[in-house]
Structure formats: structure tokens, C-alpha cells
Amino acid sequence: MSHTLVSLACHAYGLAALVYLAYLVRQSQVLAVSGRVLVGTGLLMHCVALVEMMGVQGGRLVGPAQGLSTFAFLLLALFLALDVRYRKPVIGAFLTPLAVAVMLIGMLLHGGPAPLPAEVRQPLLPVHVTIALLGMTAFGVAAGVGVMYLLMERQVKTKHFGLLFARLPSLEFLDTLNRRLVVWGFIALSLTLATGALFVSTVPGLAWHFDAKQLATFIAWGVFAALVNARIFAGWRGRRVALLTMAGFCLVLVSFLSSYDLSAAGPGMP
């Protein structure tokens, strides 16, 4: 049942991506509403599928397929909230294709839940994972906003006011939205590190070891810490902020993917 619902949700997201891309070409209220309905419908089916998976797996969403599916769900949920709040459906032209790509990759992986040792099954673990996913979602949307900023800035600098200039939000709006998303993402990333350290300290036999995942996470935290401080104390904004946001999100994504053994993944859906 969950596989069918995930597949239907992915189809709804795919149609929404086409609608939002069409909106990028021709702004229409009908297209904007249609995109919201499709994303909302997909989110409802996706939510039921994720809840069903958690029920089968004892409240856990682990493995690459489930992780990517949850990230795509949160990404589109945050986008829909921002669209309803700010009435900027054009953002969907950049985020819905990303979510569909993430969903498709997840559906091609057969990353079933690995059994967890009894000592690791603590209430802090799902809290740690949830905060990490929320932070990655905020950074993912911020990176999409950064791409939009770079495209808009290029048109302004070259004075080539084409289709994107007429469709995309203002540079000021994009920069402000980026700042808010990065701040929330940084808070979540900091809490992720704190809960991770607490979790390791409370589980016998676990110890810090700087593998690719932890190294990428610490570097990403450093990048976003520097970015937040540069915004507050040095007044940074604009192009370099957008570029650093995208670089930081790539590091967070590397950290996320490093959590799983993708080499063992095969086709299929758990």
C-alpha cells in the first residue's frame, strides 16, 4: 500500500513540476492554484505512506529510500507553506523538480531498514534524525532560493531583462528569504550536532570517529556559522551568500548520503 501511495504522490509532484514550469513561462492564477492542489494532494498521499512505513518499522524511517522520501516530503511541505504565506508560486518551478528527482532516486534504491542494536533504540535517536531532516530541508529550500537569486542578479547586471526578470521575485525578497531559511537551518544543524553528541555519550560502546559523514557535517556547520555571522556583523548579502548557501547544502547532502551504504542498494522500494 505504501509503495502505491508513494508512486501516486510522485506522479502528483511530477505534474505539479510541469505546472510550475508552465507558470514560469506564463503566469496564470489557474496554474498557481493547480500547482498548489497537486502538491497538497501529493503530500496527503505521501504522508499516509510515511506513517504506514513508520508503523511497519516500529516508528523508524531509516535506509536511503525512506530518508530521501522523507526529505522530498518535507521539502515540498515547506515550499507549500512558503507559497501560501508569500504567494510566490514561481518558487515551485525550482523546488518541485528537485523533489521529484529526489523521489525517483529513492524509488530506485532498495535500502530497507537495517536492524538496530537494542542499546541504540533510544527516544533521542528519532529526535536527532527528525531535527537533522528539518535542517536539511531548510537548507535545501535556501539553496533553491539561492539559484533564483543568481539568475535574477545575472539579468540585472547584464541589463538583459528577459523572461526570468519578469517572473522571479525581487532580489531583496530572495535575499531576505534566504537569510531566514539559513538561520533556521543553522539552528537545526546545531541541535543535530548537540543531540548527536548527547546520543553518543549515553550509548555504551559508541564513540566519535571522524568519518566522511561527521567531517562533512562539521564543515557544513562551520560554513553556515561563518555565513550567519558575516550577515549579522559584516552585512553580507547577495551573490556570495547565495553561493555559500549552495555549497553548504551540498556538504549537508554529502553528510546525509554518507549515512547509508548506497553500494548495497538495488532497484525497488521497501
Side-chain angles (χ1 to χ4, degrees):
M1 181 64 177
S2 60
H3 172 77
T4 302
L5 287 174
V6 169
S7 179
L8 290 173
C10 189
H11 280 79
Y13 297 152
L15 289 174
L18 294 176
V19 168
Y20 282 119
L21 289 172
Y23 183 87
L24 186 61
V25 176
R26 180 180 179 183
Q27 289 188 337
S28 165
Q29 187 63 24
V30 173
L31 291 174
V33 173
S34 299
R36 293 181 189 124
V37 170
L38 285 168
V39 170
T41 302
L43 287 174
L44 287 175
M45 294 186 289
H46 202 167
C47 181
V48 173
L50 291 175
V51 171
E52 183 178 335
M53 289 180 192
M54 291 180 67
V56 172
Q57 298 164 11
R60 296 184 293 123
L61 279 174
V62 294
Q66 296 94 333
L68 289 171
S69 182
T70 305
F71 171 56
F73 172 82
L74 293 173
L75 187 73
L76 288 177
L78 179 55
F79 154 68
L80 189 60
L82 291 174
D83 185 20
V84 172
R85 170 67 177 83
Y86 296 108
R87 298 296 175 179
K88 302 291 185 182
V90 71
I91 300 176
F94 295 84
L95 294 182
T96 50
L98 172 61
V100 171
V102 170
M103 287 282 292
L104 290 176
I105 293 172
M107 293 177 72
L108 292 174
L109 297 176
H110 183 64
L116 292 177
E119 62 272 14
V120 178
R121 299 172 191 170
Q122 297 188 12
L124 185 59
L125 181 58
V127 173
H128 169 74
V129 173
T130 300
I131 294 174
L133 283 171
L134 289 173
M136 189 169 72
T137 300
F139 289 139
V141 176
V145 171
V147 172
M148 297 173 66
Y149 186 97
L150 293 177
L151 291 173
M152 187 67 166
E153 185 203 43
R154 179 178 177 81
Q155 296 226 338
V156 172
K157 280 191 173 182
T158 60
K159 297 183 179 180
H160 179 68
F161 305 119
L163 178 66
L164 290 177
F165 182 82
R167 299 291 186 265
L168 296 183
S170 68
L171 290 175
E172 181 179 359
F173 172 83
L174 293 173
D175 187 70
T176 300
L177 183 57
N178 173 278
R179 173 176 54 80
R180 293 173 179 172
L181 289 167
V182 166
V183 168
W184 283 111
F186 178 67
I187 293 172
L189 183 57
S190 300
L191 290 174
T192 299
L193 290 173
T195 54
L198 181 60
F199 179 75
V200 169
S201 66
T202 56
V203 177
L206 285 185
W208 285 102
H209 51 92
F210 285 91
D211 53 14
K213 168 184 167 52
Q214 293 180 353
L215 185 60
T217 302
F218 278 112
I219 295 176
W221 186 89
V223 169
F224 285 115
L227 180 55
V228 170
N229 278 278
R231 270 191 174 276
I232 295 174
F233 298 108
W236 277 26
R237 55 184 303 168
R239 179 181 180 82
R240 54 187 170 183
V241 168
L243 290 172
L244 280 175
T245 300
M246 294 163 62
F249 172 65
C250 288
L251 287 169
V252 172
L253 198 57
V254 168
S255 172
F256 172 77
L257 294 176
S258 299
S259 303
Y260 304 109
D261 180 13
L262 299 184
S263 63
M269 184 73 184

